[in-house]
């Protein structure tokens, strides 16, 4: 499938075993040098064979490693990456291959956006979250001590190669957290995908073929949305369903208690409840959303120790809050959402109270 952005359009390949085709695809880009950006965990699993394969196809490849962890997604490590690119004589025709999860992908994308004012990047995402979300769409960046993803650029990749086989080695908790984003696509866009997720929980958790279909569908939806609204001036905001409350839960728990997808799972249940209170969504649909999320073993409720006041405060400080007004993506049916920026404070408070663990 393709992301349609005129002369910046690119292909997304989703195929079990597609890692083996990477060198042919990268060679077609005719790069002067290929910098593989990865971390020791992923490099230990997939990096060496990838590097050997690229070299075997006559490509001038080398590897740059960053430590494994969100805390290294910062400007200091970006500076180090840019230095390694310069030391290895990369130029405008070089290509960065991002081999890893969203952390590696965001840093590789931002390095590609800034090195010599922009070079090409190939995303090879190896977590479910990065396969269905961060590798597609061109948002790149790093964290700042004063906020997550505060420094970055839009820079579309030249190619995305997704090999679902890489998910076999992913820790179960990381895998399940990625499912939250897939459920998100079902709720915002595709009732059929949502039904499949409900019906085929066992098969998907067992990495069956239904998972590959769900990855393809998720990428198609993201590609469609990004193709229509690259810079988030409207439609793209629907991808933030579950993220308003989710980001607040992450922030007040210091980004340590929950994985991103887990916090989004709680946020999607919260947004469902809020939509019911706003009279926009039948209660039974909100229940279905929560049930599917629960079936995958994801959290559905706000922990008891987090007060509605702290969450509301965190929402006001989110970078997506515009001029002090918090914007929600609320479902009106399974497969359809609306952007709402005038949610009454009293209704939000009721939701934050009633979604708390009792
Ligand atoms: N750019 C975007 O549009 C966008 C969208 C969503 C999230 N993000 C960013 O993505 C990041 C989160 O990405 P993530 O959830 O992939 O986390 P991650 O990159 O930290 O990966 C999670 C863990 O899994 C390990 N791992 C990766 N692939 C593996 C594999 N195949 N087998 C075994 N272990 C493997 C990693 O080393 C890491 O320890 C955040 O920084 C977030 O801000 C960006
Ligand atoms: Zn997300």
């Amino acid at each position: 499938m393709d992301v349609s952005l005129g002369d910046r359009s690119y292909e997304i390949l989703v195929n079990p075993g597609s890692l083996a085709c990477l060198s042919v695809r990268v060679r077609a880009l005719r790069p002067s040098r290929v910098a593989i950006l990865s971390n020791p965990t992923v490099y230990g699993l997939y990096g060496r064979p990838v590097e050997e394969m690229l070299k075997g196809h006559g490509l001038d490849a080398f590897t740059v490693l960053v430590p494994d962890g969100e805390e290294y997604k910062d400007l200091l490590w970006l500076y180090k990456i840019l230095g390694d690119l310069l030391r290895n004589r990369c130029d405008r025709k070089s290509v960065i291959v991002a081999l890893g999860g969203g952390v590696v992908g965001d840093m590789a994308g931002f390095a590609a956006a800034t090195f010599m004012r922009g070079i090409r990047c190939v995303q090879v995402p190896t977590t479910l979250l990065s396969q269905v979300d961060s590798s597609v769409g061109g948002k790149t960046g790093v964290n700042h001590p004063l906020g997550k993803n505060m420094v970055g650029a839009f820079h579309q990749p030249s190619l995305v190669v997704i090999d679902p086989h890489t998910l076999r080695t992913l820790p179960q908790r990381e895998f399940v957290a990625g499912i939250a984003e897939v459920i998100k696509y079902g709720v915002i866009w595709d009732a059929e995908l949502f039904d499949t997720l409900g019906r085929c929980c066992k098969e998907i958790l067992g990495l069956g073929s239904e998972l590959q279909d769900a990855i393809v569908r998720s990428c198609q939806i993201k590609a469609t949305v990004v193709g229509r609204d690259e810079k988030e001036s409207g439609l793209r905001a629907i991808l933030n369903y579950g993220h308003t409350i989710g980001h607040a839960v992450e922030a007040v728990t210091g980004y340590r208690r929950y994985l991103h997808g887990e916090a989004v799972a709680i946020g999607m249940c919260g947004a469902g409840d809020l939509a019911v209170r706003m009279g926009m969504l039948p209660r039974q649909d909100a229940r279905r959303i929560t049930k599917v999320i629960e079936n995958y073993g994801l959290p559905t409720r706000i922990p008891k120790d987090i007060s509605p006041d702290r969450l509301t405060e965190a929402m006001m400080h989110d970078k997506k809050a515009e001029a002090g007004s918090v914007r929600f993506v609320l479902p009106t049916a399974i497969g359809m959402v609306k952007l709402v920026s005038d949610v009454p404070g009293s209704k939000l408070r009721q939701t934050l109270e009633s979604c708390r663990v009792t």
Side-chain angles (χ1 to χ4, degrees), residues 311-319 321-326:
L311 282 177
T312 312
E313 165 91 7
M315 280 178 223
M316 299 297 277
H317 283 112
D318 196 278
K319 73 168 183 252
E322 273 170 14
S325 98
V326 183

Side-chain angles (χ1 to χ4, degrees), residues 39-43 45-46 67-70 73 99-106 125-131 133-141 143 148-149 163 165-171 174 177-178 181 184 222 236 243 259-261:
N39 70 32
T41 312
V42 180
Y43 188 78
L45 290 163
Y46 307 103
D68 187 354
E70 177 78 31
K73 197 179 99 171
L99 180 67
V103 168
V104 162
D106 277 7
T126 59
T127 62
L128 182 56
L129 179 126
S130 57
Q131 294 185 351
D133 192 356
S134 58
S135 64
V136 174
K139 280 192 183 176
T140 74
N143 303 321
K148 251 184 78 102
N149 295 322
D163 185 345
H165 278 171
T166 57
L167 301 177
R168 291 170 177 173
T169 54
L170 190 65
E174 294 284 353
E181 302 282 359
K184 175 188 83 177
K222 179 130 190 204
R236 189 167 178 163
H243 285 61
L259 294 177
H260 173 69

Side-chain angles (χ1 to χ4, degrees), residues 186-347:
V187 176
I188 64 169
W189 197 269
D190 187 345
E192 203 179 311
L193 170 63
F194 184 86
D195 286 346
T196 309
L197 293 170
R199 246 190 356 262
C200 305
C201 181
K202 242 195 187 145
E203 293 83 350
I204 287 174
L205 287 173
L207 310 188
S209 62
E210 294 80 357
L211 172 64
Q212 193 197 326
D213 297 343
I215 295 172
V216 169
R217 192 64 196 121
S218 299
C219 288
Q220 279 170 345
I221 295 167
K222 179 130 190 204
T224 306
V225 171
V226 170
R228 291 191 201 164
D229 177 23
E230 183 186 6
K231 304 257 166 88
E232 200 167 320
S233 44
L235 181 70
R236 189 167 178 163
I238 68 170
L239 299 172
N240 296 323
Y241 166 58
H243 285 61
T244 311
I245 294 174
H247 280 153
V249 168
E250 282 184 287
V252 303
T253 53
Y255 297 94
R256 275 186 297 271
R257 200 185 307 179
Y258 295 102
L259 294 177
H260 173 69
E262 295 169 343
V264 169
I266 296 171
M268 291 193 289
C269 297
D273 181 275
L274 189 55
V276 173
R277 285 177 204 280
M278 297 283 289
M280 295 167 61
L281 181 74
R283 183 161 292 281
Q284 80 229 39
D285 283 348
R287 284 210 189 99
R288 280 181 71 205
I289 295 171
T290 302
K291 186 93 195 101
V292 169
I293 291 171
E294 199 169 31
N295 285 349
Y296 280 92
L298 286 161
T300 57
R301 293 186 154 266
I302 297 163
K304 210 179 171 146
D305 58 308
I306 301 183
S307 71
D309 281 347
R310 286 179 68 205
L311 282 177
T312 312
E313 165 91 7
M315 280 178 223
M316 299 297 277
H317 283 112
D318 196 278
K319 73 168 183 252
K320 302 230 154 106
E322 273 170 14
S325 98
V326 183
R327 206 165 45 159
F328 284 90
V329 181
L330 299 182
T332 54
I334 305 277
M336 221 168 318
V337 284
K338 258 200 184 130
L339 291 177
V340 183
S341 47
D342 54 356
V343 169
S346 59
K347 292 223 175 346

Side-chain angles (χ1 to χ4, degrees), residues 97-176:
V97 170
L99 180 67
V103 168
V104 162
D106 277 7
M107 291 176 90
F110 193 38
T114 47
F115 186 75
M116 298 193 174
R117 298 199 186 85
I119 62 171
R120 291 165 298 170
C121 180
V122 173
Q123 290 284 348
V124 187
T126 59
T127 62
L128 182 56
L129 179 126
S130 57
Q131 294 185 351
V132 299
D133 192 356
S134 58
S135 64
V136 174
K139 280 192 183 176
T140 74
V142 294
N143 303 321
H144 186 278
L146 295 181
K148 251 184 78 102
N149 295 322
M150 282 297 160
V151 183
F154 283 97
H155 184 67
Q156 299 293 340
S158 298
L159 173 70
V160 182
V161 177
I162 297 173
D163 185 345
H165 278 171
T166 57
L167 301 177
R168 291 170 177 173
T169 54
L170 190 65
Q172 173 78 0
R173 188 175 169 201
E174 294 284 353
F175 176 78
V176 170

